[in-house]
Amino acid sequence: CFIIGNGPSLNKMDLSLLKDRNTIGLNKIYLMFDKVDLNLTYHVAVNPLVIQQSVQEFESLLCPSFLAMRPSHRVIKHSPNIYKICTTDAPLLFQENASKVLCEGFTVTFVAMQIAFFMGFKKVYLIGIDHSFVSDGKPNERQKMAGSDPNHFSPLYFGGQDWHLPDLEGSEVAYRLAKFYFERDNRLIYDATVGGKLDVFPKVSFGEALAMSGR
């Protein structure tokens, strides 16, 4: 499956090529829908601010959507395709059984990796995980973004809204944990992000990922 992040690099890719692939879209990926029909297979969001800012959009998704229980309870209406998942900030662990409490690992991508593992995917390809942000403050600090958003594929993503600053070092620890669990089970996570700064997973081009996933 392809885990689709929200970095600016998505604008350099032909995402229409994913239409017949298994995909897990993250957070406000719906802002891409006016550009391309992604035909998402699954969706995941756990950040409280993202969920609060996306109520109508998440309720309108047609694919199964996994949302963190605490911020979505009594906020997102019940729907057959919405699954409320239990998540926690600590301790840092990789949960092989997604019906149990999932660690957020400082990034929704880590939650998506655990769900992908539970679903049985043997190869996971990351795209749009740029691992690079323009920010000034402490990791996980809540700030209001002035002006347009330079850190995501759409300037409207957090433009003029509150957001939590990224914790890149913390997320790297979580990624390495995911890498260990996948490889120990003879599975692999590849990084097919265009120009991404993450150096945890083996790199492949988007074209190579499409060819490998089609086998």
Side-chain angles (χ1 to χ4, degrees):
C1 73
F2 286 79
I3 293 179
I4 308 174
N6 299 139
S9 65
L10 287 185
N11 294 319
K12 301 177 182 179
M13 309 177 72
D14 182 2
L15 298 180
S16 66
L17 298 174
L18 295 174
K19 191 170 184 179
D20 296 323
R21 298 296 201 278
N22 291 307
T23 54
I24 302 178
L26 307 180
N27 289 342
K28 298 184 182 181
I29 190 62
Y30 58 80
L31 291 171
M32 183 64 73
F33 291 173
D34 63 342
K35 297 180 180 179
V36 59
D37 178 14
L38 284 176
N39 190 32
L40 284 182
T41 314
Y42 306 103
H43 170 260
V44 183
V46 297
N47 182 274
L49 296 178
V50 170
I51 292 174
Q52 292 166 14
Q53 296 164 3
S54 309
V55 173
Q56 292 183 344
E57 291 82 1
F58 288 173
E59 290 178 346
S60 298
L61 289 175
L62 300 178
C63 67
S65 178
F66 299 90
L67 305 179
M69 170 69 78
R70 285 176 294 176
S72 64
H73 183 59
R74 296 182 179 177
V75 174
I76 303 293
K77 295 178 182 178
H78 291 290
S79 171
N81 65 304
I82 292 180
Y83 297 85
K84 305 291 181 68
I85 57 176
C86 294
T87 64
T88 183
D89 296 328
L92 180 59
L93 55 84
F94 186 92
Q95 181 58 261
E96 299 176 66
N97 185 348
S99 68
K100 298 183 178 180
V101 179
L102 299 179
C103 176
E104 295 185 6
F106 309 101
T107 169
V108 64
T109 310
F110 185 63
V111 177
M113 290 173 175
Q114 294 170 84
I115 292 174
F117 187 96
F118 176 70
M119 289 180 171
F121 289 110
K122 299 295 185 182
K123 295 179 181 178
V124 172
Y125 305 92
L126 307 178
I127 62 172
I129 309 297
D130 293 28
H131 203 61
S132 176
F133 291 83
V134 177
S135 63
D136 183 16
K138 297 179 180 180
N140 306 303
E141 179 180 311
R142 179 171 176 167
Q143 292 185 0
K144 184 168 185 176
M145 183 175 290
S148 59
D149 186 340
N151 298 313
H152 297 87
F153 64 85
S154 170
L156 302 176
Y157 200 95
F158 281 125
Q161 302 177 79
D162 284 2
W163 72 308
H164 289 121
L165 270 58
D167 187 341
L168 297 184
E169 292 184 358
S171 63
E172 285 181 14
V173 175
Y175 288 150
R176 294 187 188 281
L177 187 59
K179 183 175 187 287
F180 168 78
Y181 272 84
F182 267 80
E183 292 182 352
R184 188 174 68 171
D185 200 46
N186 295 315
R187 310 195 213 180
L188 289 170
I189 299 176
Y190 295 93
D191 187 354
T193 298
V194 175
K197 304 299 183 183
L198 186 62
D199 62 1
V200 172
F201 305 102
K203 300 277 190 179
V204 295
S205 69
F206 185 44
E208 288 172 330
L210 289 169
M212 294 165 68
S213 66
R215 294 172 185 171

